[in-house]
Amino acid sequence: MAISPPSDLVLDVVQAADPLEVQAAQARLKANRAAFAATSLAEKGAGFGAAVDILDGAASKAGLGNVQKTAHDETPKVYRDFESVVLQNFVKSMLPTDAEAVYGKGNAGEMWKSMMAEQIGGVLSENGGIGIADQMYSQELARHRSKGVINAAVDEKDRSVALSMVTDLERRTLGVSETEKHSA
């Protein structure tokens, strides 16, 4: 008498299932998992805060959080805010457009997506940004420092071009040639 062990019921069901239906079920599970994660974060009131903390944690693990701040420490908040808006628009354009499972549908989803981009842009700007604020501030300082200072340096090539233009204007306007001008 031979013993025949019972077959694995789950394995039999998986082998009998249609592959397209399995893929569709897996996609629904992934969407439900993402929706659950977003909902649970929103219910805790830490949706964006948690996302920012995750970004900060990943940056510090990569060693990016240990950068010594130098020039942008003194950059005024107005310039940082401007850079934040620029980065917000940049990040918003990079976020996925078909992520209704994460952000939601319609205007509410667009609002959440916009708020996420705003927070990410703000965090990037606060942590040094990409240099827009620093560059704008240094240009503004240079402009204020050079206010009232006249650049009196003249290049010899520029001087000769200007003199030839004046001579040409005199010749055409007054009918004076170079030889008549020097002989008079």
Side-chain angles (χ1 to χ4, degrees):
M1 177 166 168
I3 300 175
S4 64
S7 65
D8 187 359
L9 184 62
V10 175
L11 186 59
D12 290 342
V13 170
V14 169
Q15 288 174 346
D18 182 23
L20 294 176
E21 289 181 20
V22 170
Q23 288 177 350
Q26 288 174 342
R28 285 192 304 270
L29 285 172
K30 286 180 184 176
N32 287 342
R33 186 179 331 141
F36 174 73
T39 305
S40 64
L41 285 174
E43 286 173 354
K44 293 177 185 173
F48 292 119
V52 169
D53 290 342
I54 289 169
L55 290 174
D56 285 343
S60 63
K61 286 178 186 173
L64 298 176
N66 303 330
V67 176
Q68 296 294 326
K69 295 183 180 181
T70 55
H72 66 269
D73 285 339
E74 64 211 29
T75 305
K77 185 176 181 340
V78 176
Y79 295 98
R80 291 273 163 232
D81 290 343
F82 176 77
E83 184 173 28
S84 174
V85 170
V86 171
L87 289 172
Q88 170 189 347
N89 291 329
F90 182 68
V91 168
K92 188 175 181 182
S93 70
M94 293 187 333
L95 290 176
T97 57
D98 58 346
E100 290 180 352
V102 176
Y103 302 115
K105 295 181 182 179
N107 289 337
E110 286 299 316
M111 183 81 78
W112 282 107
K113 184 177 175 181
S114 177
M115 290 171 66
M116 177 65 99
E118 181 181 347
Q119 290 295 317
I120 292 172
V123 168
L124 287 172
S125 178
E126 288 172 11
N127 290 325
I130 57 174
I132 296 172
D134 296 333
Q135 184 175 7
M136 288 177 57
Y137 183 58
S138 65
Q139 287 176 353
E140 184 67 17
L141 284 178
R143 190 173 66 89
H144 278 291
R145 288 179 183 150
S146 66
K147 200 172 196 177
V149 177
I150 299 172
N151 184 5
V154 178
D155 186 10
E156 189 58 38
K157 181 181 176 186
D158 291 341
R159 184 178 178 277
S160 64
V161 169
L163 285 176
S164 67
M165 289 173 70
V166 168
T167 304
D168 185 47
L169 180 65
E170 285 177 350
R171 183 181 49 79
R172 286 187 287 150
T173 308
L174 304 173
V176 179
S177 67
E178 276 294 317
T179 55
E180 291 176 9
K181 186 177 177 181
H182 289 295
S183 63

